[in-house]
Amino acid sequence: MAQAQQKFSSDVNAEVEQLDALVIGAGVTGIYQLYGLLQKGINAKIFEAGSGVGGTWYWNRYPGARFDSESYSYAYSFSDELLQEWNWKEHYSGQPENEQYLNYVTDKFKLRPNIRFNARIKSVHFNNASGRWDVETEDGYRASAQFVIAAVGILSANNMPNIPGIDSFKGDSFHTSRWPKEAVDFTNKRVGVIGTGATAIQLIPEVAKQAGHLAVFQRTPQYAAPLRNALIADDEQQKIKDSYAETFAKCDKTFGGFMHDFDPRSALEVTPEVREAFFEEIWAQPGFSKWFGCFHDIMTSNEANELYAEFVRKKIRERVNDKELAEKLVPKDYPFGAKRVPMETGYYETYNRDNVSLVDVHESPIISITPKGVKTADAEYELDVIIYATGFDAITGELTRMDIRGRGGESIKEKWADGPRTYMTVQTADFPNLFIPGGAVFCNFTRCAEVITEWICDCIDYMRDKGHTLIETTVEAEDAWTEHANSLTEGMIFTKTDSWFMGSNIPGKKRQFLFYAAGAPAFRDKCADVAAKDYEGFVFK
Ligand code: N01
């Protein structure tokens, strides 16, 4: 570490690119962050590991990848012109169109010249002498920036399971989040998918249509709910465009920044008939209505939750012909909504196909990957292709895997060994001028990404006005916020099972709810309040 800083502080030459702000990542957050900074006349650039923009929508190009929230509630809201000229084709848009959209935004606002592609970050070190950040990419390109904005996303660092023999497999293997750009042909192939999270549940029906045989290795069944996607007809398109203001106003008011909000009634206060009719009503609606539109107390009361969980189990059983198989697909030992609810299109019917089988690896665990396929405790499954739909080291993973070192030389990984410590999710003490617009708020991603990126732009603008060069959260503010954030999840259903929400899908990671859970409106109010109080909780130099 000391060596790296010395190397930079002695470098007073033009080989090191000088920037006011360096944004890491050209995903949904980074693109809008760059736009905002350039609007304010700040000399800013994105360093992006991929060869194109899109972030999540660049990397996760597996068959079936799509939005689970409405295309028009996930879209950027900052430009009326953009809203009016972009035509979403589907209510829940697929990955190819999402990637096109983000490319369109990049070009419309002339951002591409300020993006350095194929620039995977090797190190980000605070230089005590210059008071700036020294950044180096894996191919040796170097930059010095006053501000670093780590727009690295929340589901970026992938989770490859540590299964013995994983490198010995002779066929093709893919992680869903590193899917190749060329289409993968599964015709006549024996394919295995490991995992049954939201990703696998989108992918499995698509692969099953093509594969010779598909074996799904399931450890934990899911409460998946029908997405009910549809093409957007011309008259609907106009209505969507005419009602953007209302759509975003609605999202601003809801707990999760979605178009759906919890019903204020308790599931326990209504009659069984009213309850069942309401469950049927939300189940028939598209998207997350079946989760965020339910009785509010399904997220806090075990009793209320169990009523809905049983309703969902019944819905799963109705769709699978083989009763024994249906039972394996029905979750029984954790509450509905404790894991992120996957949205599906024909997922359960896929198991009625002759070319699809389910391997219950809870019953008979995976022992190893062999040159021929997957070996479980009681059989070996010969495969041509293995797909790892095994998820992510979420929220903190990309930051802790990157070599980011603050004022004292400590890395984020070291500092967060016992869980993340931030103020407002956006800064961590001893890492001055480092902003994390990371989306660590339980929120429809773009809705809160806009809030925090705008807040960062305003903050930098404020600093320029006042002549400040350095901003840093205080340890006191960080301690108070971390304690407050951790206290919010007490009693919440999320804590009742293991998932990436809880960090417990990653061996050795501290088990705690990783999102700020006070709701999107409370987070937005906090941002506004802190700014109005001259950035209370931060100190400037
Ligand atoms: O990852 P996951 P994901 N042996 O962690 C299993 C977002 N997303 O990529 O549950 C066997 O949910 C693991 O099993 P278990 C969305 O927020 C968004 O599917 O740990 N199995 C689980 O089944 C989502 O929540 C969209 O027992 C192993 C699976 O792998 C998030 O991405 C679309 C294993 C991992 O599931 C992550 O979803 C899709 C092992 N060793 C996804 N290791 C949108 O709509 C892991 N598993 C925007």
Side-chain angles (χ1 to χ4, degrees):
M1 159 59 203
Q3 258 182 355
Q5 282 200 352
Q6 260 174 17
K7 190 164 112 199
F8 266 96
S9 33
S10 61
D11 255 329
V12 240
N13 58 46
E15 280 172 40
V16 179
E17 182 170 7
Q18 301 294 318
L19 293 165
D20 292 342
L22 189 152
V23 180
I24 306 175
V28 169
T29 313
I31 290 171
Y32 184 48
Q33 186 74 71
L34 177 64
Y35 168 81
L37 292 166
L38 295 178
Q39 287 289 303
K40 292 202 182 286
I42 293 163
N43 168 27
K45 212 173 213 184
I46 295 179
F47 280 26
E48 163 57 49
S51 63
V53 300
T56 281
W57 302 108
Y58 170 90
W59 295 104
N60 292 266
R61 49 183 74 241
Y62 59 84
R66 65 175 60 256
F67 289 151
D68 278 350
S69 44
E70 296 70 24
S71 312
Y72 29 91
S73 79
Y74 191 99
Y76 291 120
S77 71
F78 68 92
S79 160
D80 274 339
E81 206 177 278
L82 172 66
L83 290 167
Q84 294 307 317
E85 66 194 21
W86 181 263
N87 293 320
W88 292 106
K89 293 194 193 71
E90 297 175 82
H91 287 275
Y92 301 89
S93 169
Q95 178 276 333
E97 194 188 349
N98 305 343
E99 191 185 9
Q100 280 162 24
Y101 170 71
L102 292 166
N103 272 282
Y104 182 83
V105 173
T106 301
D107 291 326
K108 177 177 172 64
F109 297 103
K110 301 186 173 48
L111 304 176
R112 207 171 287 275
N114 287 58
I115 306 176
R116 184 175 183 86
F117 292 103
N118 303 305
R120 185 170 284 285
I121 300 294
K122 182 176 146 205
S123 57
V124 181
H125 292 171
F126 187 72
N127 185 322
N128 291 310
S130 65
R132 294 166 64 85
W133 287 94
D134 294 337
V135 180
E136 187 162 354
T137 64
E138 282 186 352
D139 63 0
Y141 190 81
R142 290 180 295 160
S144 160
Q146 183 184 358
F147 299 98
V148 167
I149 303 168
V152 295
I154 56 169
L155 295 160
S156 312
N158 66 7
N159 171 37
M160 271 307 272
N162 188 12
I163 305 175
I166 203 159
D167 295 328
S168 70
F169 182 58
K170 295 277 185 252
D172 292 326
S173 40
F174 307 96
H175 190 282
T176 46
S177 73
R178 294 292 177 271
W179 202 262
K181 287 189 179 154
E182 316 71 50
V184 181
D185 185 9
F186 297 109
T187 315
N188 296 327
K189 300 261 173 72
R190 296 163 304 173
V191 184
V193 174
I194 301 183
T196 50
T199 298
I201 284 172
Q202 290 186 332
L203 167 105
I204 285 165
E206 296 305 314
V207 175
K209 286 178 198 160
Q210 220 192 48
H213 185 267
L214 171 64
V216 177
F217 295 85
Q218 172 191 274
R219 192 164 63 184
T220 311
Q222 290 271 5
Y223 295 96
L227 177 63
R228 307 197 195 287
N229 187 23
L231 291 173
I232 296 175
D234 288 347
D235 58 327
E236 282 178 314
Q237 188 76 257
Q238 199 46 54
K239 271 193 215 140
I240 288 168
K241 289 186 181 181
D242 292 345
S243 47
Y244 268 123
E246 291 99 271
T247 301
F248 294 129
K250 189 166 188 191
C251 292
D252 277 355
K253 289 200 191 83
T254 63
F255 177 85
F258 293 97
M259 289 170 70
H260 318 279
D261 207 3
F262 289 106
D263 191 288
R265 291 171 299 170
S266 160
L268 305 170
E269 82 185 29
V270 296
T271 63
E273 294 71 33
V274 169
R275 189 164 56 228
E276 191 71 8
F278 180 68
F279 287 165
E280 289 288 357
E281 185 190 319
I282 56 171
W283 198 255
Q285 289 170 18
F288 280 133
S289 45
K290 293 135 213 137
W291 184 10
F292 302 129
C294 200
F295 296 115
H296 71 94
D297 54 350
I298 65 155
M299 297 311 286
T300 46
S301 150
N302 286 341
E303 204 184 337
N305 189 287
E306 181 54 23
L307 292 167
Y308 192 52
E310 196 46 36
F311 172 85
V312 179
R313 292 181 194 122
K314 182 184 75 180
K315 290 289 179 195
I316 297 172
R317 289 185 180 111
E318 283 169 5
R319 292 169 61 186
V320 183
N321 297 341
D322 177 331
K323 296 301 155 215
E324 216 176 296
L325 177 58
E327 284 316 302
K328 288 188 189 297
L329 288 163
V330 169
K332 299 188 181 85
D333 59 359
Y334 69 92
F336 174 91
K339 290 177 188 278
R340 196 289 209 161
V341 176
M343 291 286 131
E344 52 83 25
T345 306
Y347 175 67
Y348 291 107
E349 286 77 9
T350 300
Y351 293 95
N352 297 332
R353 296 175 66 108
D354 291 339
N355 68 333
V356 176
S357 55
L358 183 81
V359 182
D360 185 339
V361 298
H362 181 66
E363 238 170 56
S364 177
I366 298 175
I367 304 292
S368 61
I369 305 293
T370 69
K372 287 189 194 156
V374 175
K375 194 165 167 17
T376 66
D378 59 11
E380 182 167 5
Y381 297 84
E382 292 195 11
L383 300 167
D384 302 305
V385 182
I386 301 178
I387 301 174
Y388 294 92
T390 46
F392 301 89
D393 182 352
I395 303 184
T396 56
E398 195 64 28
L399 294 165
T400 54
R401 289 182 190 187
M402 208 177 275
D403 179 19
I404 306 178
R405 290 179 187 271
R407 183 198 297 293
E410 190 181 37
S411 68
I412 292 219
K413 183 180 173 164
E414 287 157 353
K415 177 167 176 190
W416 290 2
D418 203 26
R421 302 195 68 75
T422 72
Y423 177 45
M424 289 171 62
T425 76
V426 76
Q427 267 213 349
T428 187
D430 281 331
F431 291 74
N433 286 1
L434 173 75
F435 292 108
I436 308 167
V441 179
F442 191 81
C443 186
N444 188 358
F445 194 81
T446 316
R447 301 283 57 81
C448 284
E450 284 189 340
V451 171
I452 199 71
T453 48
E454 286 170 9
W455 185 93
I456 292 168
C457 286
D458 290 345
C459 176
I460 293 176
D461 212 26
Y462 171 94
M463 287 174 67
R464 285 196 313 189
D465 273 0
K466 302 269 180 199
H468 300 313
T469 55
L470 210 92
I471 177 171
E472 189 172 2
T473 181
T474 64
V475 174
E476 294 73 31
E478 176 177 289
D479 286 349
W481 176 267
T482 304
E483 197 180 314
H484 155 69
N486 291 345
S487 73
L488 290 170
T489 52
E490 223 176 275
M492 276 193 176
I493 231 79
F494 298 122
T495 59
K496 309 260 161 82
T497 193
D498 288 328
S499 71
W500 65 264
F501 284 170
M502 296 298 298
S504 49
N505 62 327
I506 301 297
K509 190 163 171 174
K510 172 149 190 209
R511 192 180 191 283
Q512 67 178 114
F513 190 66
L514 288 164
F515 280 117
Y516 180 64
F523 181 72
R524 211 179 36 251
D525 289 350
K526 174 74 183 174
C527 288
D529 187 49
V530 167
K533 290 178 179 152
D534 290 320
Y535 297 89
E536 186 181 56
F538 295 92
V539 286
F540 294 101
K541 291 206 178 96

